[in-house]
Amino acid sequence: MSAYAKLRYQRLSPQKARLVADIVRGKDALLALNILKFTNKKAAPLIEKTLKSAIANAEHNFGMNPDKLYISKISIDKGPVLKRMNPRAMGRADIIRKPLAHITVEVEER
């Protein structure tokens, strides 16, 4: 049995968030929390928050032991892209893309 948590529509590039997700994929949940606490990336606190929520869901909803949990699946999906215009010379315009990400963390008991 597994428990999961989702964090959706975060102002964060999915490509950059996947770098942090790859570090903790498959690790024990408490070890992953410790790693994320000391990772100096924008995505680290967001993934940490989602992982804490998944651990709480597993403990409260399914009665799992938090010490035996591990990250069985973590995925960073692409969300919608906010598009903004930036004026340039001679009446032209550049498009600034502001990507959004969806973070999903699933934990299981060993």
Side-chain angles (χ1 to χ4, degrees):
M1 184 165 304
S2 63
Y4 69 93
K6 289 184 180 181
L7 186 64
R8 302 180 71 209
Y9 300 105
Q10 288 302 304
R11 250 306 278 123
L12 173 73
S13 169
Q15 185 177 5
K16 292 178 182 179
R18 285 184 192 116
L19 295 173
V20 178
D22 290 341
I23 296 171
V24 295
R25 184 175 282 118
K27 298 235 183 344
D28 288 337
L30 299 179
L31 175 64
L33 282 175
N34 204 14
I35 291 169
L36 289 169
K37 189 175 186 178
F38 295 104
T39 302
N40 192 19
K41 294 280 185 186
K42 181 180 177 181
L46 299 173
I47 294 175
E48 182 183 2
K49 176 182 176 180
T50 312
L51 178 57
K52 283 181 181 176
S53 178
I55 292 169
N57 289 343
E59 189 177 4
H60 183 265
N61 297 342
F62 301 107
M64 295 182 194
N65 184 358
D67 297 330
K68 295 182 180 178
L69 294 176
Y70 75 101
I71 299 175
S72 60
K73 181 181 167 189
I74 182 168
S75 64
I76 312 292
D77 300 321
K78 184 180 173 208
V81 178
L82 301 175
K83 291 177 182 161
R84 301 292 181 257
M85 302 299 279
N86 197 18
R88 304 303 287 181
M90 298 193 294
R92 294 187 177 95
D94 277 351
I95 296 176
I96 298 174
R97 298 175 68 252
K98 298 187 175 199
L100 300 175
H102 303 313
I103 301 169
T104 306
V105 178
E106 191 172 305
V107 293
E108 286 183 10
E109 203 169 32
R110 285 206 197 270

